[in-house]
């Protein structure tokens, strides 16, 4: 629900005698929606970059006729990878639809877990380093946006 306030000194837009009359609207619901939309878009950038890094890594391995070195049981490794990759994908939705207090906490926690996954599960190939840097910058922006959300309330 939006909250509308007329600030001191401002007059309603219905005052025809004052050409400089202004009505200042403060809509907390709109700002919450805008922040959720922004966070959701940032998460989409992260998710797409994770997919891009994986696809390019597969191309490199196929062109070099290499096999992927997967530690331990392949099935277990893929399940863990699927869960971790789904964090940014789920955050695209969660950022838009969760209440702001919970969303703030979840966005920060998910960004930290995703950053650890990117750093810990990455490689030193040039394409991965470029994409990982972009992902980490965007994750940093997500954390800043989520923290500022609290400060703006």
């Amino acid at each position: 629900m939006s909250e509308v306030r007329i600030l001191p000194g401002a007059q309603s837009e219905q005052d025809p005698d004052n050409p400089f009359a202004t009505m200042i609207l403060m809509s907390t619901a709109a700002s919450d929606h805008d922040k959720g939309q922004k966070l959701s878009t940032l998460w989409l950038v992260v998710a797409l970059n994770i997919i891009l890094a994986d696809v390019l890594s597969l191309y490199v391995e196929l062109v070099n006729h290499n096999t992927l070195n997967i530690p331990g049981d392949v099935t277990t490794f893929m399940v863990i990878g699927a869960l971790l990759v789904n964090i940014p994908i789920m955050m695209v939705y969660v950022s838009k639809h969760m209440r702001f207090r919970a969303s703030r906490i979840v966005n920060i926690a998910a960004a930290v877990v995703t950053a650890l996954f990117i750093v810990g599960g990455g490689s030193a190939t040039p394409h991965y380093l470029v994409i990982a840097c972009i992902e980490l910058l965007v994750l940093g922006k997500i954390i800043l946006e989520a923290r500022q959300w609290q400060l703006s309330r």
Side-chain angles (χ1 to χ4, degrees):
M1 185 169 147
S2 293
E3 178 182 337
V4 177
R5 290 183 239 163
I6 299 176
L7 297 181
Q11 297 183 10
S12 110
E13 59 187 342
Q14 299 171 347
D15 184 359
D17 298 332
N18 185 355
F20 301 106
T22 59
M23 180 179 212
I24 300 174
L25 302 176
M26 303 286 292
S27 174
T28 56
S31 66
D32 285 351
H33 175 74
D34 292 345
K35 183 70 75 168
Q37 183 70 31
K38 187 174 197 175
L39 288 168
S40 180
T41 302
L42 290 169
W43 277 111
L44 185 60
V45 171
V46 172
L48 290 173
N49 270 287
I50 288 173
I51 294 166
L52 176 63
D54 289 346
V55 169
L56 292 178
S57 293
L58 286 173
Y59 283 155
V60 169
E61 295 300 320
L62 290 172
V63 168
N64 292 334
H65 302 290
N66 292 337
T67 57
L68 296 173
N69 294 324
I70 298 175
D73 179 43
V74 173
T75 306
T76 303
F77 188 81
M78 289 298 151
V79 168
I80 294 168
L83 290 171
L84 291 170
V85 168
N86 266 286
I87 292 172
I89 294 169
M90 293 305 298
M91 290 306 297
V92 171
Y93 176 82
V94 169
S95 295
K96 278 186 181 180
H97 300 289
M98 188 177 273
R99 291 186 181 265
F100 94 94
R101 284 191 173 99
S103 183
R104 238 185 31 247
I105 295 166
V106 171
N107 271 283
I108 292 169
V112 169
V113 169
T114 304
L116 292 173
F117 166 63
I118 290 166
V119 172
S123 70
T125 56
H127 75 277
Y128 188 84
L129 294 175
V130 169
I131 293 171
C133 286
I134 293 167
E135 292 166 345
L136 292 172
L137 287 171
V138 174
L139 288 168
K141 178 69 172 168
I142 289 170
I143 292 170
L144 287 174
E145 287 292 327
R147 288 192 66 206
Q148 288 174 351
W149 200 353
Q150 176 187 24
L151 299 175
S152 68
R153 298 288 289 179

